[in-house]
Short mmCIF file of all heavy atoms in Angstrom, two decimals:
data_model
loop_
_atom_site.label_atom_id
_atom_site.label_comp_id
_atom_site.label_asym_id
_atom_site.label_seq_id
_atom_site.Cartn_x
_atom_site.Cartn_y
_atom_site.Cartn_z
N MET A 27 -114.71 25.20 173.54
CA MET A 27 -115.63 24.10 173.69
C MET A 27 -116.97 24.47 173.07
O MET A 27 -117.50 25.55 173.30
CB MET A 27 -115.81 23.81 175.17
CG MET A 27 -116.76 22.69 175.44
SD MET A 27 -116.71 22.29 177.20
CE MET A 27 -118.35 21.72 177.40
N VAL A 31 -127.32 24.95 171.28
CA VAL A 31 -128.39 25.91 171.57
C VAL A 31 -129.70 25.20 171.28
O VAL A 31 -129.86 24.56 170.24
CB VAL A 31 -128.27 27.17 170.68
CG1 VAL A 31 -129.46 28.10 170.90
CG2 VAL A 31 -126.96 27.88 170.93
N SER A 44 -128.13 20.10 165.63
CA SER A 44 -128.60 21.04 166.66
C SER A 44 -129.24 22.24 166.00
O SER A 44 -128.93 22.57 164.85
CB SER A 44 -127.41 21.50 167.51
OG SER A 44 -126.77 20.41 168.12
N GLY A 50 -116.83 29.17 171.09
CA GLY A 50 -116.14 30.43 171.40
C GLY A 50 -117.13 31.57 171.29
O GLY A 50 -118.21 31.53 171.87
N ASN A 51 -116.78 32.58 170.50
CA ASN A 51 -117.67 33.71 170.29
C ASN A 51 -118.58 33.55 169.07
O ASN A 51 -119.36 34.44 168.76
CB ASN A 51 -116.86 35.01 170.14
CG ASN A 51 -116.27 35.46 171.44
OD1 ASN A 51 -116.74 35.09 172.51
ND2 ASN A 51 -115.22 36.26 171.37
N LYS A 81 -138.45 34.31 162.10
CA LYS A 81 -138.95 34.16 163.47
C LYS A 81 -138.22 33.00 164.15
O LYS A 81 -137.81 33.10 165.31
CB LYS A 81 -140.46 33.91 163.43
CG LYS A 81 -141.09 33.71 164.76
CD LYS A 81 -142.59 33.46 164.61
CE LYS A 81 -143.22 33.07 165.93
NZ LYS A 81 -144.65 32.76 165.79
N VAL A 98 -123.12 37.90 161.10
CA VAL A 98 -122.08 38.36 160.18
C VAL A 98 -122.19 37.71 158.80
O VAL A 98 -121.63 38.23 157.83
CB VAL A 98 -120.66 38.13 160.76
CG1 VAL A 98 -120.45 38.98 162.00
CG2 VAL A 98 -120.40 36.67 161.06
N LYS A 99 -122.91 36.59 158.69
CA LYS A 99 -123.01 35.91 157.40
C LYS A 99 -124.29 35.09 157.35
O LYS A 99 -124.68 34.47 158.34
CB LYS A 99 -121.83 34.97 157.19
CG LYS A 99 -121.93 34.16 155.90
CD LYS A 99 -120.60 33.92 155.29
CE LYS A 99 -120.62 33.24 153.96
NZ LYS A 99 -121.81 32.55 153.56
N LYS A 112 -138.84 38.68 146.44
CA LYS A 112 -139.80 38.74 147.56
C LYS A 112 -139.14 38.30 148.86
O LYS A 112 -139.39 38.89 149.91
CB LYS A 112 -141.01 37.86 147.24
CG LYS A 112 -141.84 38.38 146.09
CD LYS A 112 -142.99 37.46 145.76
CE LYS A 112 -143.79 38.01 144.59
NZ LYS A 112 -144.90 37.14 144.25
N TYR A 117 -136.40 39.57 154.16
CA TYR A 117 -135.11 39.37 154.82
C TYR A 117 -134.49 40.71 155.22
O TYR A 117 -134.02 40.88 156.34
CB TYR A 117 -134.19 38.60 153.85
CG TYR A 117 -132.74 38.58 154.22
CD1 TYR A 117 -132.22 37.54 154.99
CD2 TYR A 117 -131.86 39.56 153.77
CE1 TYR A 117 -130.87 37.50 155.32
CE2 TYR A 117 -130.52 39.52 154.09
CZ TYR A 117 -130.03 38.50 154.87
OH TYR A 117 -128.70 38.46 155.19
N PHE A 125 -125.01 45.40 156.75
CA PHE A 125 -125.71 44.13 156.57
C PHE A 125 -124.72 42.97 156.60
O PHE A 125 -123.55 43.14 156.25
CB PHE A 125 -126.46 44.15 155.23
CG PHE A 125 -127.53 45.20 155.17
CD1 PHE A 125 -127.29 46.41 154.55
CD2 PHE A 125 -128.76 44.98 155.76
CE1 PHE A 125 -128.26 47.40 154.50
CE2 PHE A 125 -129.75 45.96 155.71
CZ PHE A 125 -129.51 47.17 155.09
N ALA A 135 -133.80 20.95 145.32
CA ALA A 135 -134.81 20.61 146.33
C ALA A 135 -134.29 20.94 147.72
O ALA A 135 -133.09 21.01 147.96
CB ALA A 135 -135.15 19.13 146.23
N GLY A 139 -139.84 19.52 150.99
CA GLY A 139 -140.43 20.22 149.85
C GLY A 139 -140.46 21.73 150.01
O GLY A 139 -141.16 22.41 149.25
N VAL A 142 -137.50 27.61 150.43
CA VAL A 142 -136.44 28.49 150.90
C VAL A 142 -135.93 27.98 152.25
O VAL A 142 -136.69 27.44 153.05
CB VAL A 142 -136.91 29.97 150.99
CG1 VAL A 142 -138.07 30.12 151.94
CG2 VAL A 142 -135.79 30.90 151.36
N LYS A 150 -120.64 36.81 169.09
CA LYS A 150 -120.89 37.57 170.31
C LYS A 150 -119.76 38.58 170.44
O LYS A 150 -118.60 38.24 170.32
CB LYS A 150 -120.88 36.67 171.53
CG LYS A 150 -122.12 35.85 171.70
CD LYS A 150 -122.09 35.12 173.03
CE LYS A 150 -123.34 34.30 173.20
NZ LYS A 150 -123.40 33.67 174.52
#
Side-chain angles (χ1 to χ4, degrees):
M27 180 172 150
V31 175
S44 301
N51 288 338
K81 179 181 172 183
V98 294
K99 176 146 185 343
K112 293 177 181 180
Y117 166 92
F125 296 99
V142 60
K150 284 187 180 185

